[in-house]
Amino acid sequence: MSVEGSRVTDRHFRYVEERTTQEDAFLRELRTTAVREGIPPISIGPAQGAFLQILLRLRGARDVVEVGTLAGYSAIWMARALPPGGRVRTIEFDPRHAAFAARWVAASDVADRVEVVQGRGADVLRTFADASADAAFLDADKASYPEYLEESLRILRPHGLVMVDNAFAFGQLFDEHPTDREAPAVQRFNEIMARETRVQSVIVPLGDGVWVGVKRD
Ligand code: SAH
Ligand code: DHB
Ligand code: MG
């Protein structure tokens, strides 16, 4: 095999999606209701949800921190991978998104494992204790990713997981003049992550690309 591997095409992405654990009826309804209530359709996809669950289960994670709740879709996927007593603390700046998510979390099977915190990611993260989480999922405003990474490394326990969405910058990673205003921030963050010696990390080409890093002890 060559070091380049084989080229991943749209057909491969569809193939993977079709062969990965699907979302259940509750999460499907959450998504369609969120769209109907004017919440943007930018949650992770089912294959990413399944992947995050696998990582959390392998890590034996109990405490998870998320920045960017949106409608609660990813938080519920992750909470379902935690043991009883486990907890996802998920931070959302938009009060409408936070209220929607809190309502759907309360109606879910993991109501006791998800805490929606309304506030700015950076402000709320600063209130979390050192070494109080096993995993962090970063998925909010991309310009703040470097700050979220810094706070996450403080909050994570040794060998904690750092997972970061949108490494492929909404499909515009290689565009010289991206139309999305957050794409340049993703490009900059990827370079920071690539040079970060406190985590061993890799980009996994699922959805819009997800960074997976393990904090060194
Ligand atoms: N993780 C979610 C999707 C998150 S979309 C899922 O996969 O289901 C990004 C969210 O980040 C949006 O709801 C947006 O309102 C929120 N956000 C943007 N800036 C933020 C900030 N500074 N602090 C916290 N949340 C923020
Ligand atoms: C956007 C944000 C995301 O986190 C995502 O996965 C897709 C799109 C956005 O802000 O457009
Ligand atoms: Mg995202």
Side-chain angles (χ1 to χ4, degrees), residues 40-45 48 68 70 137-142 145 165-166 170 180-182 208:
I42 55 173
S43 68
I44 59 165
Q48 281 180 297
L70 191 70
F137 180 50
L138 311 181
D139 194 17
D141 53 316
K142 313 311 171 196
Y145 272 10
D165 194 32
N166 303 105
F170 324 105
D180 191 288
R181 67 181 175 82
E182 289 194 299
D208 188 38

Side-chain angles (χ1 to χ4, degrees), residues 166-179:
N166 303 105
F168 291 164
F170 324 105
Q172 300 184 14
L173 186 58
F174 303 127
D175 294 8
E176 264 181 67
H177 306 287
T179 53

Side-chain angles (χ1 to χ4, degrees), residues 30-31 33-43 66-76 90-106 114-119 139-141 181-182:
L30 180 158
R31 278 219 274 190
T33 310
V35 168
R36 218 184 309 123
E37 297 195 13
I39 294 175
I42 55 173
S43 68
E66 175 180 63
V67 190
T69 313
L70 191 70
Y73 185 84
S74 53
I76 292 171
T90 180
I91 309 167
E92 173 56 52
F93 179 63
D94 187 315
R96 282 184 50 250
H97 297 179
F100 181 97
R103 207 161 67 238
W104 279 76
V105 161
V114 181
E115 188 187 327
V116 180
V117 186
Q118 198 268 316
D139 194 17
D141 53 316
R181 67 181 175 82
E182 289 194 299

Side-chain angles (χ1 to χ4, degrees), residues 9-214:
T9 61
D10 287 350
R11 191 175 170 193
H12 288 90
F13 276 96
R14 276 196 303 280
Y15 183 91
V16 170
E17 289 282 349
E18 286 164 11
R19 284 160 184 77
T20 307
T21 319
Q22 300 299 302
E23 64 196 357
D24 67 356
F26 182 85
L27 285 176
R28 197 165 27 249
E29 201 190 327
L30 180 158
R31 278 219 274 190
T32 54
T33 310
V35 168
R36 218 184 309 123
E37 297 195 13
I39 294 175
I42 55 173
S43 68
I44 59 165
Q48 281 180 297
F51 179 58
L52 296 184
Q53 285 195 336
I54 289 167
L55 293 175
L56 294 174
R57 290 198 166 108
L58 287 173
R59 181 76 283 266
R62 227 186 70 94
D63 300 291
V64 180
V65 168
E66 175 180 63
V67 190
T69 313
L70 191 70
Y73 185 84
S74 53
I76 292 171
W77 267 106
M78 293 193 289
R80 286 175 173 170
L82 307 183
R87 173 176 63 152
V88 177
R89 288 174 287 179
T90 180
I91 309 167
E92 173 56 52
F93 179 63
D94 187 315
R96 282 184 50 250
H97 297 179
F100 181 97
R103 207 161 67 238
W104 279 76
V105 161
S108 78
D109 55 312
V110 284
D112 58 335
R113 288 178 213 178
V114 181
E115 188 187 327
V116 180
V117 186
Q118 198 268 316
R120 280 190 190 279
D123 295 343
V124 178
L125 283 176
R126 273 196 287 276
T127 69
F128 292 171
D130 294 3
S132 62
D134 308 297
F137 180 50
L138 311 181
D139 194 17
D141 53 316
K142 313 311 171 196
S144 302
Y145 272 10
E147 196 175 356
Y148 297 154
L149 174 65
E150 206 56 42
E151 281 299 310
S152 296
L153 289 174
R154 177 183 65 72
I155 293 163
L156 286 172
R157 302 183 175 116
H159 300 153
L161 289 171
V162 197
M163 308 174 292
V164 189
D165 194 32
N166 303 105
F168 291 164
F170 324 105
Q172 300 184 14
L173 186 58
F174 303 127
D175 294 8
E176 264 181 67
H177 306 287
T179 53
D180 191 288
R181 67 181 175 82
E182 289 194 299
V186 172
Q187 293 168 334
R188 285 193 297 276
F189 175 76
N190 286 348
E191 299 312 314
I192 290 172
M193 197 66 171
R195 290 190 189 93
E196 178 53 72
T197 54
R198 292 169 295 173
V199 281
Q200 181 185 31
S201 58
V202 66
I203 297 173
V204 179
L206 269 181
D208 188 38
V210 51
W211 275 105
V212 178
V214 178

